[in-house]
Amino acid sequence: MKLTNLEPLYFDILKNKKTYDVFDYRHNNIEFSVLFDIQTQPDYTLLFIKKKSDLFLELKISSDFRLNTYLGNKLAILLKMLELSNGSNRFSTSEFFKEFNEKIPKTISQKSVSKKTLTKIYKCEEADNVFIKELRDWDQYPLLNKTVSVENREKTRLLYPDVHESIKDKNISVFYTDKPSKKNLQ
């Protein structure tokens, strides 16, 4: 099934030099936060998080915005999120995603998920450390023989997409702290 309304959202994400958007979605009084991440490869990621719960569902979206509505083992998670028991109600994933498609915003949301929430969802290293402390160019320390880690790159991509874009091809790590600058708090 093609989620046609993801396409204008995708282009608005690019226009705003972002790599994802988070928006709210409601189905039968059940509230979700939805993360649409266009940086993941080769497919995009659509992450449904049921609000006020620990339930989430991660789905892959092809680059032409198609979703396989056959969810396999993930169907049980979706049914649990929707508070439906398996077989007690007639439920169609196609109908669910058709309704969802109609409610996808065409532009990025003005609000966004907090940096701490993102680091916890993606299980980033040092999840509470979300403020940039410093950059370290490992090429300046040849005797240490260190390189930027994949985890550090991913955390930077999620938290600071513009910084990531500037350093993604360089051997630079971003060091994080849990303490914001005192100037930023004023």
Side-chain angles (χ1 to χ4, degrees):
M1 156 181 249
K2 186 165 183 172
L3 297 176
T4 55
N5 286 335
L6 279 180
E7 190 168 4
L9 179 58
Y10 168 84
F11 285 112
D12 199 53
I13 290 169
L14 289 178
K15 179 179 131 193
N16 285 280
K17 298 180 181 170
K18 296 184 73 130
T19 58
Y20 65 89
D21 186 44
V22 176
F23 56 92
D24 292 329
Y25 169 63
R26 178 187 292 256
H27 178 83
N28 293 341
N29 294 321
I30 297 171
E31 296 180 338
F32 297 91
S33 284
V34 180
L35 170 78
F36 178 45
D37 188 344
I38 64 170
Q39 191 68 30
T40 54
Q41 298 294 327
D43 298 319
Y44 307 133
T45 300
L46 198 59
L47 181 68
F48 286 83
I49 301 171
K50 183 178 180 183
K51 291 185 178 183
K52 300 178 184 174
S53 83
D54 61 351
L55 297 172
F56 65 92
L57 178 65
E58 182 177 313
L59 302 171
K60 296 299 178 192
I61 305 295
S62 68
S63 60
D64 63 351
F65 309 104
R66 294 193 181 279
L67 165 73
N68 183 352
T69 58
Y70 175 74
L71 300 181
N73 295 338
K74 292 182 177 184
L75 177 60
I77 298 168
L78 180 59
L79 292 175
K80 189 172 182 182
M81 291 171 77
L82 296 172
E83 301 173 8
L84 299 172
S85 58
N86 214 352
S88 65
N89 295 324
R90 298 201 45 71
F91 177 77
S92 163
T93 55
S94 294
E95 287 301 313
F96 173 79
F97 288 112
K98 181 178 177 185
E99 176 195 312
F100 169 72
N101 185 55
E102 293 170 6
K103 294 182 179 180
I104 295 171
K106 292 183 173 52
T107 58
I108 61 170
S109 306
Q110 294 304 311
K111 63 180 184 171
S112 64
V113 69
S114 76
K115 291 183 184 327
K116 284 191 179 183
T117 300
L118 268 178
T119 59
K120 287 184 171 83
I121 290 170
Y122 279 94
K123 296 177 178 68
C124 292
E125 60 184 10
E126 300 176 334
D128 289 333
N129 296 355
V130 296
F131 303 103
I132 295 177
K133 181 178 178 182
E134 68 177 291
L135 299 180
R136 178 139 327 140
D137 181 356
W138 292 114
D139 291 342
Q140 293 177 350
Y141 302 88
L143 295 176
L144 293 178
N145 199 26
K146 289 203 170 209
T147 60
V148 61
S149 70
V150 173
E151 295 83 5
N152 186 266
R153 279 252 198 265
E154 181 63 7
K155 183 174 181 177
T156 303
R157 182 189 70 80
L158 290 168
L159 299 182
Y160 299 97
D162 291 341
V163 172
H164 172 265
E165 193 60 33
S166 296
I167 66 172
K168 70 181 181 184
D169 298 324
K170 297 171 179 60
N171 191 19
I172 296 175
S173 291
V174 178
F175 281 65
Y176 290 95
T177 181
D178 62 348
K179 295 174 181 46
S181 166
K182 289 182 177 138
K183 291 178 187 174
N184 292 341
L185 295 175
Q186 297 173 349

